[in-house]
Coordinates of all heavy atoms in Angstrom, one line a residue:
I178 N -4.2 -10.5 -4.3 CA -3.7 -9.5 -3.4 C -4.7 -8.3 -3.2 O -5.0 -7.9 -2.1 CB -2.4 -8.9 -3.9 CG1 -1.3 -9.9 -3.8 CG2 -2.0 -7.6 -3.1 CD1 0.0 -9.6 -4.5
F179 N -5.3 -7.9 -4.3 CA -6.2 -6.7 -4.3 C -7.7 -7.1 -4.3 O -8.5 -6.2 -4.5 CB -5.9 -5.8 -5.4 CG -4.5 -5.2 -5.4 CD1 -3.5 -5.7 -6.1 CD2 -4.2 -4.2 -4.5 CE1 -2.2 -5.2 -6.0 CE2 -2.9 -3.6 -4.4 CZ -1.9 -4.1 -5.2
S180 N -8.0 -8.4 -4.1 CA -9.4 -8.7 -4.2 C -10.2 -8.2 -3.0 O -9.7 -8.2 -1.9 CB -9.6 -10.3 -4.3 OG -10.9 -10.6 -4.2
V181 N -11.5 -7.8 -3.2 CA -12.4 -7.4 -2.2 C -13.5 -8.5 -2.0 O -14.4 -8.3 -1.2 CB -13.0 -6.0 -2.4 CG1 -11.9 -5.0 -2.3 CG2 -13.8 -6.0 -3.7
E182 N -13.4 -9.5 -2.8 CA -14.4 -10.6 -2.7 C -14.1 -11.5 -1.6 O -13.0 -12.0 -1.4 CB -14.4 -11.4 -4.0 CG -14.8 -10.6 -5.3 CD -14.7 -11.4 -6.5 OE1 -15.1 -12.6 -6.5 OE2 -14.4 -10.9 -7.6
P183 N -15.1 -11.7 -0.7 CA -14.8 -12.5 0.5 C -14.2 -13.8 0.3 O -13.3 -14.2 1.1 CB -16.2 -12.7 1.2 CG -17.0 -11.5 0.6 CD -16.5 -11.3 -0.8
D184 N -14.6 -14.5 -0.8 CA -14.0 -15.9 -1.0 C -12.6 -15.8 -1.6 O -12.0 -16.9 -1.7 CB -14.9 -16.7 -1.9 CG -15.1 -16.1 -3.3 OD1 -14.9 -14.9 -3.4 OD2 -15.4 -16.8 -4.2
K185 N -12.1 -14.6 -1.9 CA -10.8 -14.5 -2.5 C -9.8 -13.8 -1.6 O -8.7 -13.6 -1.9 CB -10.8 -13.9 -3.8 CG -11.5 -14.7 -4.9 CD -11.4 -14.0 -6.3 CE -12.1 -14.8 -7.4 NZ -12.0 -14.2 -8.7
K186 N -10.3 -13.3 -0.4 CA -9.4 -12.5 0.4 C -8.3 -13.4 0.9 O -8.4 -14.6 1.1 CB -10.2 -11.9 1.6 CG -11.0 -10.7 1.2 CD -11.5 -9.9 2.5 CE -12.0 -8.6 2.1 NZ -12.4 -7.8 3.3
L187 N -7.2 -12.7 1.3 CA -6.0 -13.4 1.7 C -6.2 -14.2 3.0 O -6.8 -13.6 3.9 CB -4.8 -12.5 1.9 CG -4.4 -11.7 0.6 CD1 -3.3 -10.7 1.0 CD2 -3.9 -12.6 -0.4
A188 N -5.8 -15.4 3.0 CA -5.9 -16.2 4.2 C -4.5 -16.1 4.9 O -3.5 -15.7 4.3 CB -6.1 -17.7 3.9
R189 N -4.4 -16.4 6.2 CA -3.2 -16.3 6.9 C -2.1 -17.1 6.2 O -2.3 -18.3 5.9 CB -3.4 -16.8 8.4 CG -2.1 -16.6 9.2 CD -2.3 -17.1 10.6 NE -1.1 -17.0 11.4 CZ -0.8 -16.0 12.1 NH1 -1.6 -14.9 12.1 NH2 0.4 -15.9 12.7
G190 N -1.0 -16.5 5.9 CA 0.1 -17.2 5.3 C -0.1 -17.4 3.8 O 0.8 -18.0 3.2
K191 N -1.1 -16.9 3.2 CA -1.4 -17.1 1.8 C -0.3 -16.5 0.9 O 0.1 -17.1 -0.1 CB -2.8 -16.5 1.4 CG -3.2 -16.6 0.0 CD -3.6 -18.0 -0.3 CE -4.2 -18.2 -1.7 NZ -4.7 -19.5 -2.0
I192 N 0.1 -15.3 1.3 CA 1.2 -14.6 0.5 C 2.5 -14.6 1.3 O 2.5 -14.2 2.5 CB 0.8 -13.2 0.1 CG1 -0.4 -13.2 -0.8 CG2 1.9 -12.4 -0.5 CD1 -0.2 -13.8 -2.2
H193 N 3.6 -15.0 0.8 CA 4.9 -15.1 1.4 C 5.8 -14.1 0.7 O 5.9 -14.1 -0.5 CB 5.4 -16.5 1.4 CG 6.6 -16.6 2.4 ND1 6.4 -16.7 3.8 CD2 7.9 -16.7 2.2 CE1 7.6 -16.8 4.3 NE2 8.5 -16.9 3.4
L194 N 6.5 -13.3 1.5 CA 7.4 -12.3 1.0 C 8.9 -12.7 1.2 O 9.2 -13.3 2.3 CB 7.2 -10.9 1.6 CG 5.7 -10.4 1.6 CD1 5.7 -9.0 2.1 CD2 5.2 -10.4 0.1
V195 N 9.7 -12.3 0.3 CA 11.2 -12.5 0.5 C 11.8 -11.1 0.6 O 11.7 -10.3 -0.4 CB 11.8 -13.3 -0.7 CG1 13.3 -13.4 -0.5 CG2 11.2 -14.6 -0.9
L196 N 12.3 -10.7 1.8 CA 12.8 -9.4 2.0 C 14.3 -9.3 1.8 O 15.1 -10.1 2.3 CB 12.4 -9.0 3.5 CG 11.0 -9.2 3.9 CD1 10.8 -8.7 5.3 CD2 10.0 -8.5 2.9
K197 N 14.7 -8.2 1.1 CA 16.1 -8.0 0.9 C 16.5 -6.6 1.4 O 16.1 -5.6 0.9 CB 16.4 -8.0 -0.6 CG 17.8 -7.8 -1.0 CD 18.0 -7.8 -2.5 CE 19.5 -7.6 -2.9 NZ 19.6 -7.5 -4.4
G198 N 17.2 -6.6 2.6 CA 17.6 -5.4 3.2 C 18.5 -5.6 4.4 O 18.8 -6.7 4.8
T199 N 18.8 -4.5 5.1 CA 19.6 -4.6 6.3 C 18.7 -5.1 7.4 O 17.5 -5.2 7.3 CB 20.2 -3.2 6.7 OG1 19.1 -2.4 7.0 CG2 20.9 -2.6 5.5
N200 N 19.4 -5.5 8.5 CA 18.6 -6.0 9.6 C 17.6 -5.0 10.1 O 16.4 -5.3 10.4 CB 19.5 -6.4 10.8 CG 20.3 -7.7 10.5 OD1 19.9 -8.5 9.7 ND2 21.4 -7.8 11.2
F201 N 18.0 -3.7 10.2 CA 17.1 -2.7 10.6 C 15.9 -2.5 9.6 O 14.8 -2.4 10.1 CB 17.8 -1.3 10.8 CG 17.0 -0.2 11.3 CD1 16.8 -0.1 12.7 CD2 16.3 0.7 10.5 CE1 16.0 0.9 13.2 CE2 15.5 1.7 11.0 CZ 15.3 1.8 12.4
Q202 N 16.2 -2.4 8.4 CA 15.1 -2.3 7.4 C 14.1 -3.4 7.5 O 12.9 -3.2 7.5 CB 15.8 -2.3 6.0 CG 16.5 -1.0 5.6 CD 17.2 -1.1 4.3 OE1 17.6 -2.2 3.9 NE2 17.4 0.0 3.6
V203 N 14.6 -4.7 7.6 CA 13.7 -5.8 7.7 C 12.9 -5.7 9.0 O 11.7 -6.0 8.9 CB 14.6 -7.1 7.7 CG1 13.7 -8.3 8.1 CG2 15.2 -7.4 6.4
K204 N 13.4 -5.2 10.1 CA 12.6 -5.1 11.3 C 11.5 -4.1 11.1 O 10.4 -4.3 11.6 CB 13.5 -4.6 12.4 CG 14.4 -5.8 13.0 CD 15.3 -5.3 14.2 CE 16.1 -6.4 14.7 NZ 17.0 -5.9 15.8
V205 N 11.8 -3.0 10.4 CA 10.8 -2.0 10.1 C 9.7 -2.6 9.2 O 8.5 -2.4 9.5 CB 11.4 -0.7 9.4 CG1 10.3 0.2 8.9 CG2 12.4 0.0 10.3
W206 N 10.1 -3.3 8.2 CA 9.1 -3.9 7.2 C 8.3 -4.9 7.9 O 7.1 -5.0 7.7 CB 9.8 -4.5 6.0 CG 10.6 -3.4 5.3 CD1 10.4 -2.1 5.2 CD2 11.8 -3.7 4.4 NE1 11.4 -1.5 4.4 CE2 12.2 -2.5 3.9 CE3 12.5 -4.9 4.1 CZ2 13.3 -2.4 3.1 CZ3 13.6 -4.8 3.3 CH2 14.0 -3.5 2.8
E207 N 8.9 -5.7 8.8 CA 8.1 -6.7 9.6 C 7.1 -6.0 10.5 O 6.0 -6.5 10.7 CB 9.1 -7.6 10.4 CG 9.8 -8.6 9.5 CD 10.8 -9.4 10.3 OE1 11.2 -8.9 11.4 OE2 11.1 -10.6 9.9
A208 N 7.5 -4.9 11.1 CA 6.6 -4.2 12.0 C 5.4 -3.7 11.2 O 4.2 -3.7 11.7 CB 7.3 -3.0 12.6

Side-chain angles (χ1 to χ4, degrees):
I178 291 166
F179 295 101
S180 176
V181 297
E182 298 177 33
D184 62 337
K185 291 185 180 179
K186 279 194 171 183
L187 298 179
R189 183 181 179 90
K191 181 74 172 183
I192 295 293
H193 194 72
L194 307 184
V195 180
L196 309 183
K197 180 183 180 184
T199 66
N200 288 338
F201 183 84
Q202 288 172 331
V203 169
K204 286 181 180 179
V205 172
W206 300 335
E207 287 178 333

